[in-house]
Amino acid sequence: MTTIFKKSVSGREGVWPRNGHDNVTDFIPAELLRDSAPGLPEVSELDVVRHFTELSQANFSVDTNFYPLGSCTMKYNPKINEQIAALPGFTRLHPVLPQLKGAGKLCQGALEVIHDSERLLSEITGMKAFTMHPMAGAHGELTGVMLIAAYHRDKGNKKTKIICPDSAHGTNPASATIAGFEVVTIKSHDGIVDPEALREVLDDEVAGVMMTCPNTLGLFERNLPEIVAMLRKVDALLYYDGANMNAVLGKMRVGDVGFDVVHLNLHKTLGTPHGGGGPGSGAVGVSERLVPYLPVSRVEKLEDGQFYLDYDQPKSIGYVAPFYGNFGVYLKAYAYILRLGREGLPRASENAVLAANYLRKRLEHAFEIPYNRTCMHEFVLSAVRQAEKGARALDIAKALLDKGHHAPTVYFPLIVKEALMIEPTETESKATLDGFVDDLLEIAEQIENDPTPITAAPVTQPVTRLDETKAAREMVLVDD
Ligand SMILES: *Cc1c(COP(=O)(O)O)cnc(C)c1O
């Protein structure tokens, strides 16, 4: 692969209708012409199309292959969502347009989308209210922990600690630390939070507990009611990391269980392609007692049906994002929710859980599965048996690339040795799932016989094994 500059041919031009003019410069007023050429490649329109199409095909994507990257929910997202988010009535809005009638009513539709999205997410999760502002899952966590802090400050509570189980997502302790709390880690038991371990560390200084459910092992936390009751006694709040709500949509409402804060990753659960580092949306829902602290602005509805942005929230934690967050992302979530509806959303979760359990059952004889019971949307294999033979989780992940699959998440969660975390998502056919299993079983068999080819993989990719730290930190771009 080469750069477009290498493809430059002196004098070559794009396709222009020659309407009596020989030069593009004939169309441009003389005073606007530059003195020297801009140093752009000289290529035809077709050269450009082929160059960028070729580049796009060097990328791995759900549009081409299976992408079972655990925790990341790399599912197919309907293209209609993109079209809706690209409607000019939305994309051409300026963020400070006048809101109300007399002033032209120029953004009532966008405000209604925000208002409606908050209402739909509140209904799905059983929370009192939502804010769409946070721009990623971890940003939602930070916002949620700031809300917990604001609540305690307002009540005069002296709280300094947040409890995070070791089965929580790695961003949870990071968010609690950034918000100024001391993080207390508790060990899980049999893959889920152990109420006894929680009881041992629970005291009056605990501001809240952050739970990931399903947790990073893909397991449902079975002791939620008991945990909620314990926390209420010390006025500690409950945070639900609902990044992976795609496992329980329409099955369980976080608010009904008694949680005070939840964030959802709209870019995993509700229809935005997830990858490339963004953009995302980590919308946050709260119980009644946290509503006064939500970030500004709030979209409110007047009696005459008009919407406006309300900044008059004296107890608000303030701004967490410029303007209104990643509007395009929650527009896609809005379209996705309305399209799937009350019946489609639970069905998506059922399919995600079914697909994960199908893979788990087909793979359990060949790999260790430390917590081998009905999982939710994902499960974690351990390659300890294969590691003893000489090929580790990383080698297996690399070998899968040669078979045309994206690798699963490896070495996470930390509580499983040689972890391979697999999330098939709800959108793949049984044939695709079977193809993946067959390839993984073939790799396992190869390791039994001779692990050497597996430790040499990948052999079909543009690069083989890299020093992954240096590849990120000391990037040397070579143009051949
Ligand atoms: C992905 C994920 C996050 C973080 O979300 P980002 O948008 O990447 O910041 C948090 N918690 C869980 C459980 C996740 O899967």
Side-chain angles (χ1 to χ4, degrees), residues 136-171:
H139 192 201
E141 292 168 28
L142 179 63
T143 305
V145 179
M146 285 164 70
L147 292 170
I148 292 175
Y151 166 85
H152 289 306
R153 214 169 24 242
D154 200 22
K155 281 190 81 180
N157 291 347
K158 296 267 178 297
K159 304 274 198 180
T160 54
K161 299 189 250 182
I162 293 264
I163 298 174
C164 294
D166 62 2
S167 54
H169 195 266
T171 46

Side-chain angles (χ1 to χ4, degrees), residues 70-73 135-141 167-172 175 211-216 239 241-245 263-268 274 279-282 377-378 412 421 423:
S71 180
C72 290
T73 316
M135 299 168 87
H139 192 201
E141 292 168 28
S167 54
H169 195 266
T171 46
N172 290 190
S175 301
M211 301 198 44
T212 301
C213 187
N215 65 27
T216 49
Y239 188 99
D241 181 332
N244 305 126
M245 193 60 100
H263 89 264
L264 307 180
N265 276 30
L266 303 189
H267 48 291
K268 289 179 184 169
H274 181 199
S281 175
H377 61 303
E378 66 190 1
F412 185 81
M421 186 191 210
E423 177 177 7

